[in-house]
Amino acid sequence: MACGSRRNITMMLITDLFWNIGWLLSLNLTMLFAACPDQDPDLQIWNPGHNKEHHAHIGRNRKLLLSSSATVNSIHIFDGGKLVISDSGKDPIVLRTRNILIEDGGEFHLGSEDCPFQRDVTIILYGRSDEETENIHSYFGLKYIGVSRGGTLEIHGAHKLSWTFLNSTLHPGGMREGGYYFERSWGHRGIIVHVINQLGDVIHSDRFDTYKSTDESKRLAEYLDRVKKGLIISVAVNDEGSTKLDEFARNALSKLGSKYFRRLGFRHPWSFVTVKGSPESSAEDHVVYQGARGSAAAKVFKLFQSPNGDHFTVGSVSEWVQDVEWTAWFNRDDERGSGDWEKLTDLKSAFPGKICESPIDMQVVTVDGIPASLTAQVFHKHDLDYGFVCRNKDQVNGICHNYKVRFLCGKPVRPKVTVTIDRHVNSSIVDLADDASTWKAGDVVFVASTDYSMYQTEEFQLLHCPECKENQVKLQGKAKYLHMGREVDGVDMRAEVGILSRNIVIMGEMEAQCYGNNACTYFGFDTVGGHIKMGVGFKAVHIEGAELKHMGQQSMGHYPIHFHMTGDVDGKGGYTPPTYVKEVSIHDSFSRCVTIHGSNGLLVKDVIGYKTLGHCFFTEDGPEERNTFDHCLGLLVKAGTLLPSDRNSKMCRMITDGGYPGYVPRPQEDCNAVSTFWIANPNNSLINCAAAGSEETGFWFIFHHVPTGPSEGMYSPGYSEHMPLGRFSNNRAHSNHRAGMIIDNGVKTTEANARDKRPFLSLVGARYSPHVGADPYKPREPALIKNYIAYKNQDHGAWLRGGDVWLEDCQFSDNGIGLTLASGGTFPDDDGAKQEVKNSLFVGESENRGTEMSDNLFWGPGGLDHSGRALPKGETFPMRGIQIYDGPINVENCTFRKFVALDGRHTSAIGFRFNNSWQTCPNNNMTNIIFQDVPIASRVFFGEPGGWFNHLDLDGDKTTILHDVDGSVSEYPGAYIVKHDNWLLRHSDCIDVPDWRSAICSGRYAQVYIQARHPSTLKMKIIKDEYPDKPLFLKGALGRHSHYQQYQPVVMLQKGYTVHWDGLAPQELTIWLINFNQNDWIQVGLCYPKGSLFSIISDIHNRLSKRTFKTGTFQRTYKMNNLDHGHPGRSYYFFDEDTGLLFLKVKAHKKRHSFAFCSLQGCERIKIKASIPDKSRVSDCVLTAYPKYSQMPTVDVPMPKKLQIAQLSNSDHFVEVKLESYKMRFFHIREDMAYSAVNGKKYYHDDEGMQIVVIDGKSGKVVDNRSFRRAILRGIPMHVENYVTNMKNNSIALVTSKGRLTSERPWIKVLTELGATDIKLKDKLVFVGYKGSFKPEWVKLAVGEDTAQLHEVLPIPITKKLKL
């Protein structure tokens, strides 16, 4: 019994053991099936073969496993059906179908998150847009994968690193160091010289325009003579270089070994390579110019060996190139009548000037795009000389198709010169920032441009590389351009390297050329690609590890990946796991990359968008929130036709659908905004993303005042403009044409009408002011831009408009303009906001010089070493680090590096928006600014008439001002820096800064906005009573057709002013007090005709609530001093009818926050209504106002003390000089006085005569002080002449006279030697001169009968600006 019990127990244990093993096995199998969908035992093998008529319907819980290639008409998965692609086997699977529709419980699986698909599979979506409508779905269209309500789409390809950075620089020619490529065409005329050392490095290059000037010919000869023996010289002609050649140059080239240069003819291509000192080594080629219609090339390639044994070839090609292009399509005739006759002679008559004289080729297609050769019709004529003829009588069915033709024509020749240094390698091993071991031989990668042109992006195929480390790959072929792989001058400029290849490929099948109504006017290729679209109510969508190629269509709603009105797609919407798109490469797309429309919470991570039309990463209508773009990269983004903001100038002008009759497009305002990241709602996050090249902009935050399209009504008006910004950190933008980043503008949310003729969704103005909860009545919530990098953007690194946009730890380099901060406008609705930049770096011209070739439209000298480099906009464009527009802004703890002005290019670290009609706020604060490799003369520039600054006569150009809080900019703590000729802001102690076109001043400043009505077309003249001979003329900030005009001067407080007009005074004026603190005031005298009557009130206008409260009235007084006795509620005005001046004391009564324009209650205003007598004349009262109301100039706020040299962080510094010569009057005593002061130390004259104080131009120290008494000189300054002659070069000379100059002529010689021009002497003279080889900006002469004065700062050390 006991034995039996033990046996039973043993059997029970064995049974339990097997049961547990079985349970574990079944559990593991279940988990395996769940992880790898193709291992599900319920799947049935499905191999439908190749049948384009097969409509595959997978429903009623059928589960199919596709294990081989197939072609079907369409696939519909529904009602519990499932289609899985098999991951077993080695052969690739190719599935061709018109579409795949997944809905109502249907599922489509390619791997899973836990079991990524490893096999190669390609899904090809085919079809044409001109096919029967039965093939076009009413919602999804054609060539689609569509996921509708209840559908599941799971695509999970093999994991690959999506993109990373170069960690070593890739040079032209493919080597880590060396290799060179130079290319130029029009605009680079003359003799091009390159000097190359024996290692194959270009050590210098220059261009000599010997077509224009014999001086250039002489300079060429001198240049070649200075080249050291043993160096390689490459010389070539581009365009024309013979016209002004002289014997010096011809002899110099002959001496080097040239046999043809002496007889170089007009526009002859000529190339020459030699070694200096070895004329026998020369290689040369020369051909005769063939005229405007013929190519001609002179080519030289010479092999050299470096001292270390490496070989390299120097190539030089001088040529005239004839390019070819296809004409437009012509369809003069059709098939009616005897047939379709497209004779060349008839076409030339019908389309004059559109077809070349002798076409090279001809193409003929039907109007539907079918090549003539595929129609099986018989053609009577089909040749270049005659044209094309199809006769109906020759056809089987008696009728021809309707054909169109186009011709290939040669374009006029263009010049081209190419200089190369070939290192004889055809592969490069490059270092990457990350482990790229998932990248395999045969994969296609790209290396992004690190220059201004996005077209310098290059593609490479990877080679097998057993010697590579995990972070290295081998590229096949040579790089044509320089791609940076390191930090440059403190800015991370490493090129992005991305991989396009994936094992899962989804692509559209494309026609050979554009056809039908598919935007063929703008694109010569087929733009009807495939697309993946998710509709509302899908069950699950996860896409990762896929390559999407030839996807998207130039029609609304058909994009490579499109979430359309799907609502919340994360946990908030019940999706577990949340929806995502990851590790996807989208390239050669025809419309966008990833579109999020009416959808929230989507994760888009590690996605590449490469070569696309229209906005790439696109949020559409405005309500899209909480979406995250993490580590996404977009580049080579070009214009598309869909929205006005997608279009370029040509498209904008030609596509006027939706415009009101009479609409005339303005491309720069209505369109021209295609962007890599187009974000229509701020509440989305962008982290670690890169915008590496767009025809317009990298990141653009745009605002829909109300949601548009299907999203209409989803939020209240203005919601998006107040929405706080999501996370924006570690993003970068470069190689964009317009800007790396923009926060500005909205889109037009109303249809076109008579009042606003622009089409729906055109660009319009908008202002961003983020608040907690998007509620403007709640506290402001700053939009934080952190760790943003912007470099090599042609126009702007960033343009940010709105309130409370703050930047921290950002980097800007080599942008046309690094950063412009624009406020919410003249009247910010969100008053009190400011913009800040902290702890950021601005670099002007870095060591990333770029590659000289045709992709870089502008090339010229620059940087500290004056070397050749790519330029953002033009040779003379004044690059700036920060551009001040209006304000208020706060710039703190920022470093500016390598901003260097040239003679002819006004580069500066800090500048102002030129051609600016708007206000400039006095609260533009600079604190703890550091300058490195920035000459002090290049720190700030206020502009001057000419060039990019135009006339510098708009209102904002005249009222510029900034506040140097701690003296780190000007060396004067607390000073204000103002435009040098604005005497509303200056006083007698201000110090001129000639190099900046500015003055350093002290004072308390505010603004008044003067709004004028009836009329609104006047120019205003405003004068400070202390300086009646120095008026400021203002045109007004608004257009001439506005119903009112607004003038916006900055004024010094507690002063008196008068205002005059160039016509009859306005009947209505409103004076706004802007940046006035409580009890601040100015006195204003407004010019009106005699007999005018006035009604004057004061009020407060709250711009947020749009409410206005009357606060008082003004009563007339007949005593001027009663103006001071007014109080809130009742004030006085005084009208002096003799002068025509209406006087008011304009005073603020309310408290104001520090950065607010107006008081806490609103903007305090004074409103004047005038009844003006008929037949009154121009209201300009200057002649009667002064000297009656002139005031003695006073300095209310003393000038700050200049920082000592020991307190400065730079060796560059200012030396302050003040010179005065004057007559001092004390009752009946008159005495002449004169002195020179250097940094506050005065050097007085003891006797009448001349005094010269000499300052060393390198150290800024006084090295001599010499007086020349008049009694000794006897009016003949021989001693002074000798003294100046013996003065050391690079010396500053401070010259003052005491007493009367008895002779003029000899003095003129002395002053001229020190740089004076246009000399007209008077009794008193002061002069700041310079002994040296050039004339600095600050050389000045002042003369007067009773007094002469100069007060300015001079930059130390004195250096000559290099010429362009």
Side-chain angles (χ1 to χ4, degrees), residues 1105-1123:
S1105 66
K1106 305 294 191 287
R1107 299 179 66 186
T1108 302
F1109 306 90
K1110 182 177 177 180
T1111 58
T1113 59
F1114 284 73
Q1115 297 182 359
R1116 184 169 184 174
T1117 179
Y1118 292 91
K1119 295 182 178 180
M1120 185 75 145
N1121 59 6
N1122 281 345
L1123 298 183

Side-chain angles (χ1 to χ4, degrees), residues 1244-1262:
Y1244 282 99
H1245 286 234
D1246 292 327
D1247 301 296
E1248 290 190 356
M1250 183 73 71
Q1251 182 188 48
I1252 301 179
V1253 176
V1254 181
I1255 302 171
D1256 177 56
K1258 183 176 181 181
S1259 66
K1261 294 180 179 179
V1262 174

Side-chain angles (χ1 to χ4, degrees), residues 896-1046:
F896 293 84
R897 187 175 290 159
K898 293 189 175 180
F899 289 88
V900 182
L902 300 180
D903 185 359
R905 182 193 303 153
H906 295 295
T907 296
S908 62
I910 302 165
F912 294 84
R913 184 170 188 257
F914 41 60
N915 307 317
N916 177 23
S917 62
W918 296 99
Q919 56 94 11
T920 305
C921 176
N923 292 330
N924 288 324
N925 298 333
M926 301 272 172
T927 309
N928 193 24
I929 305 303
I930 298 170
F931 297 96
Q932 298 172 346
D933 290 328
V934 178
I936 196 167
S938 300
R939 288 185 181 180
V940 182
F941 192 69
F942 275 65
E944 66 178 10
W948 292 90
F949 299 93
N950 290 324
H951 301 293
L952 205 71
D953 63 347
L954 299 180
D955 292 5
D957 299 330
K958 300 177 180 181
T959 59
T960 44
I961 182 172
L962 69 86
H963 186 202
D964 185 7
V965 176
D966 62 348
S968 56
V969 176
S970 67
E971 303 179 4
Y972 291 82
Y976 287 86
I977 307 173
V978 306
K979 195 165 184 292
H980 68 99
D981 56 357
N982 185 350
W983 286 86
L984 270 61
L985 309 181
R986 294 192 59 155
H987 56 65
S988 57
D989 286 352
C990 290
I991 306 169
D992 283 319
V993 192
D995 287 286
W996 297 357
R997 311 301 192 266
S998 71
I1000 299 170
C1001 293
S1002 60
R1004 296 177 57 237
Y1005 299 97
Q1007 296 156 276
V1008 287
Y1009 292 171
I1010 301 175
Q1011 288 182 347
R1013 292 176 172 83
H1014 313 302
S1016 61
T1017 56
L1018 300 176
K1019 293 181 181 178
M1020 188 183 87
K1021 177 166 59 178
I1022 181 169
I1023 299 171
K1024 185 159 67 173
D1025 293 339
E1026 295 176 344
Y1027 299 100
D1029 60 334
K1030 294 179 170 64
L1032 181 69
F1033 295 89
L1034 299 177
K1035 300 177 178 179
L1038 307 180
R1040 307 301 290 175
H1041 300 292
S1042 176
H1043 66 283
Y1044 73 94
Q1045 190 53 267
Q1046 184 162 296

Side-chain angles (χ1 to χ4, degrees), residues 194-201 203 224-234 256 273-281 302 304-307 312 314:
H194 285 74
V195 180
I196 304 160
N197 64 21
Q198 291 297 330
L199 296 175
D201 299 322
I203 58 176
L224 294 173
D225 185 60
R226 289 195 301 270
V227 175
K228 294 180 180 179
K229 286 187 177 181
L231 293 177
I232 302 165
I233 302 174
S234 166
L256 289 173
V273 176
T274 190
V275 177
K276 180 73 177 287
S278 301
E280 70 280 0
S281 69
K302 186 170 179 59
F304 295 90
Q305 185 174 12
S306 70
F312 62 92
V314 175

Side-chain angles (χ1 to χ4, degrees), residues 496-757:
E496 297 83 2
V497 184
I499 186 165
L500 300 178
S501 303
R502 300 290 192 277
N503 67 307
I504 297 176
V505 179
I506 304 172
M507 62 182 293
E509 185 174 276
M510 310 309 296
E511 300 297 321
Q513 58 191 19
C514 191
Y515 64 92
N517 298 318
N518 293 317
C520 297
T521 302
Y522 313 102
F523 309 108
F525 47 86
D526 183 5
T527 59
V528 185
H531 67 107
I532 303 174
K533 185 173 185 178
M534 277 58 69
V536 64
F538 66 81
K539 184 178 179 181
V541 171
H542 304 95
I543 304 172
E544 62 179 330
E547 175 185 349
L548 274 61
K549 179 181 179 181
H550 294 160
M551 301 288 278
Q553 302 168 10
Q554 280 293 298
S555 59
M556 289 291 189
H558 307 120
Y559 316 120
I561 297 178
H562 183 196
F563 288 84
H564 182 254
M565 304 306 295
T566 53
D568 298 320
V569 298
D570 56 358
K572 187 175 180 180
Y575 288 91
T576 305
T579 310
Y580 59 72
V581 178
K582 298 194 297 187
E583 296 182 17
V584 174
S585 76
I586 304 169
H587 64 95
D588 298 281
S589 163
F590 306 118
S591 182
R592 316 213 185 289
C593 303
V594 177
T595 295
I596 304 175
H597 186 185
S599 304
N600 312 306
L602 179 66
L603 173 63
V604 183
K605 185 175 182 179
D606 294 313
V607 174
I608 291 173
Y610 176 75
K611 289 186 180 177
T612 187
L613 305 178
H615 306 303
C616 183
F617 298 97
F618 178 64
T619 61
E620 190 154 345
D621 281 348
E624 298 83 14
E625 298 187 50
R626 299 184 298 100
N627 300 291
T628 298
F629 298 93
D630 185 0
H631 201 250
C632 294
L633 166 62
L635 64 168
L636 286 169
V637 178
K638 295 182 279 189
T641 63
L642 298 187
L643 297 177
S645 57
D646 286 310
R647 297 168 190 155
N648 59 24
S649 296
K650 176 184 176 181
M651 297 169 184
C652 191
R653 293 189 182 97
M654 294 183 67
I655 304 172
T656 58
D657 298 345
Y660 195 78
Y663 166 63
V664 178
R666 297 170 297 176
Q668 288 295 329
E669 298 177 31
D670 302 346
C671 307
N672 289 22
V674 65
S675 302
T676 305
F677 294 85
W678 180 264
I679 309 300
N681 188 304
N683 187 23
N684 292 285
S685 293
L686 291 96
I687 310 160
N688 307 314
C689 292
S694 166
E695 283 188 354
E696 292 294 336
T697 300
F699 302 91
W700 196 320
F701 286 86
I702 197 82
F703 303 97
H704 290 239
H705 185 68
V706 294
T708 54
S711 306
E712 184 176 350
M714 284 190 175
Y715 59 72
S716 57
Y719 173 83
S720 68
E721 288 105 316
H722 298 301
M723 172 61 69
L725 185 69
R727 187 180 171 195
F728 189 95
S729 65
N730 297 319
N731 298 304
R732 50 201 283 127
H734 61 88
S735 311
N736 296 288
H737 175 74
R738 182 170 183 174
M741 179 182 181
I742 292 178
I743 298 179
D744 199 0
N745 296 102
V747 293
K748 186 170 180 280
T749 56
T750 57
E751 297 294 338
N753 53 64
R755 184 175 180 182
D756 187 344
K757 297 180 179 180

